[in-house]
Amino acid sequence: MLKGERTWTVEASVEEVYAVIADVERYPEWHPFFATVDVEDRDGEDRVETARCTHPTPVATLTTEITFTYEPGAEVRARRESGDMKDVDGRFLVDVRDKVTVVTHKLLVDPGMKLGLLLRGPVEEKVRNSVLNGAESGLAKALAARG
């Protein structure tokens, strides 16, 4: 089971950060957990509701169908519906604390029995850090690219 959480501050408004984290189709450009996002369904506000996604790992590329939910200006959540992993629950939360924009990324991945046997010890830590650190640095780059 891969479980992790990272919180950091950014020099951007909540609205700017939320615009990036809610643009799920662009995750492959900056989020290391997403190699591809192929949209299957959209909600009434034209946001990605369900997508088939691929995820690079040290041992294989995995595929999942993920449902995304949105709390405008505050949270984007990704939950596994089906696919190679037993469970995926990822969240980006954004808010303001003491006049500073704060981002929290929470991740819970249960790769299942077979893959779980390969993702232990140092490999597990490497994957966790790659996803969480990569999401932080990738988000910073995505925000900078927006101007």
Side-chain angles (χ1 to χ4, degrees):
M1 175 94 57
L2 291 170
K3 186 175 181 180
E5 180 175 322
R6 171 124 336 118
T7 299
W8 66 95
T9 61
V10 294
E11 292 189 24
S13 70
V14 168
E15 295 78 18
E16 291 169 314
V17 174
Y18 186 80
V20 172
I21 63 174
D23 190 359
V24 172
E25 286 178 274
R26 292 183 175 242
Y27 277 16
E29 296 174 12
W30 64 270
H31 196 303
F33 190 62
F34 293 88
T36 63
V37 173
D38 296 319
V39 178
E40 294 184 344
D41 293 305
R42 293 184 179 277
D43 66 13
E45 296 181 35
D46 202 37
R47 300 173 298 198
V48 175
E49 186 171 51
T50 307
R52 181 161 297 286
C53 305
T54 58
H55 315 280
T57 72
V59 294
T61 297
L62 305 176
T63 301
T64 56
E65 183 173 293
I66 296 180
T67 297
F68 294 89
T69 56
Y70 306 85
E71 187 177 319
E75 179 181 9
V76 176
R77 185 174 186 184
R79 297 276 334 223
R80 174 205 174 268
E81 290 297 318
S82 64
D84 294 333
M85 291 180 271
K86 184 175 179 182
D87 191 26
V88 174
D89 187 358
R91 297 176 185 204
F92 275 108
L93 300 107
V94 59
D95 65 352
V96 175
R97 297 182 203 155
D98 298 322
K99 299 181 184 178
V100 175
T101 301
V102 178
V103 178
T104 299
H105 187 209
K106 296 181 179 186
L107 181 66
L108 174 68
V109 176
D110 183 346
M113 180 64 108
K114 235 194 298 190
L115 189 58
L117 293 172
L118 300 172
L119 290 175
R120 297 207 181 271
V123 174
E124 177 183 359
E125 188 66 21
K126 180 181 176 183
V127 171
R128 179 186 305 107
N129 287 334
S130 171
V131 171
L132 293 173
N133 293 342
E136 180 179 350
S137 63
L139 179 59
K141 289 176 188 170
L143 286 165
R146 290 177 70 95

